Amino acid sequence: MNLSDSQTGGSLRRVSAMEAVLTHLRGAIERGEYAIGDKLPSEAELCRTLEVSRPVLREALRALQTMGLTASKTGKGTFVVASTVEDPTFGDYAASDLLEVRRHVEIPVAGYAALRRTPENLDHLAHLLDRMERETDTTAWVAMDTLFHLAVAEAAQNPAFRRVIEEIRDALARQSTFLSQLGDRREQSNREHRSIVEALIDGSEHDAVEAMSHHLDRVETSLTDIVRSPRASSPTEGGPEA
């Protein structure tokens, strides 16, 4: 079975090798080919069977763990711990908990930022946004994504808001990476960030609140789409053949 080349799924978007591996392994778990408690084959065996590189496989395995389907035991391997995806976990926080906090903090923060931002705040945000729109490396983009949300909090001129975003910064980065890899979110997120910055420039509390609310709505939708992704077909059902 060769998943090393990107494949085209049901949409026109190209599917990365990592996504193809993840879909294959997730489908196998959901179909019961790997039951709860089972150990997945070794990395070497999976790389050989799927004909992918170890970095690609490891990204897929990390995504499985984020989805809550597997757990890694040092020195022992990767084990199946659930048969369906319920609530992805990003660092110390479940996706649902993270989103709930973000709605209660970042939406009003955007409104405060529209009223209190300084010219320096706006210059910093505009510079960050320009860099993000040019960036092609996911790791670099994710780092700037977390800086963007910190910068909005700083523009609200309340250090307590920044502390809250700092607390969840690692989780935000993990979530951003996850969505960039599986939800094709980067360009959409750039557009949503642009709307937030434009509202701050206009000094419109209403528009800033609306823009941040829309951004978080899209994050939730993307996560929901990933969680509800249909089961992958097996090779004999029309998928890649061995």
Side-chain angles (χ1 to χ4, degrees), residues 16-29:
S16 71
M18 188 280 279
E19 288 176 271
V21 172
L22 174 62
T23 298
H24 171 75
L25 292 175
R26 176 181 177 177
I29 291 171

Side-chain angles (χ1 to χ4, degrees), residues 28-47:
I29 291 171
E30 291 181 334
R31 290 191 301 271
E33 294 173 22
Y34 297 115
I36 293 175
D38 283 355
K39 178 183 175 182
L40 295 185
S42 68
E43 288 187 4
E45 184 178 347
L46 286 172
C47 285

Side-chain angles (χ1 to χ4, degrees), residues 83-209:
S83 59
T84 57
V85 180
E86 297 294 339
D87 196 3
T89 300
F90 302 106
D92 296 330
Y93 305 105
S96 58
D97 292 338
L98 188 63
L99 186 63
E100 184 176 49
V101 168
R102 295 187 70 185
R103 286 192 182 282
H104 282 283
V105 175
E106 292 195 82
I107 291 175
V109 160
Y112 290 131
L115 300 175
R116 302 172 181 172
R117 82 288 185 275
T118 66
E120 291 76 19
N121 293 141
L122 294 178
D123 285 346
H124 180 46
L125 281 161
H127 179 62
L128 263 178
L129 189 56
D130 287 344
R131 289 175 60 198
M132 292 176 74
E133 290 174 341
R134 294 194 303 268
E135 186 57 64
T136 57
D137 179 74
T138 297
T139 301
W141 185 89
V142 164
M144 287 185 282
D145 184 31
T146 59
L147 288 175
F148 178 88
H149 287 276
L150 278 170
V152 174
E154 287 177 346
Q157 311 303 328
N158 183 332
F161 287 140
R162 180 187 170 91
R163 287 291 296 274
V164 173
I165 304 302
E166 282 281 9
E167 167 62 28
I168 63 174
R169 184 175 181 177
D170 177 67
L172 290 179
R174 291 170 185 260
Q175 183 185 75
S176 183
T177 299
F178 185 76
L179 290 177
S180 294
Q181 290 176 329
L182 301 180
D184 201 26
R185 274 282 302 159
R186 214 160 71 192
E187 289 186 9
Q188 295 175 32
S189 190
N190 283 340
R191 290 194 292 270
E192 292 154 19
H193 286 168
R194 175 67 66 182
S195 294
I196 293 168
V197 171
E198 288 174 352
L200 299 189
I201 291 171
D202 291 342
S204 172
E205 179 182 11
H206 176 270
D207 289 352
V209 165

Side-chain angles (χ1 to χ4, degrees), residues 216-230:
L216 296 181
D217 284 345
R218 297 307 303 160
V219 167
E220 182 176 22
T221 297
S222 295
L223 282 168
T224 300
D225 288 346
I226 292 170
V227 169
R228 294 179 179 174
S229 177

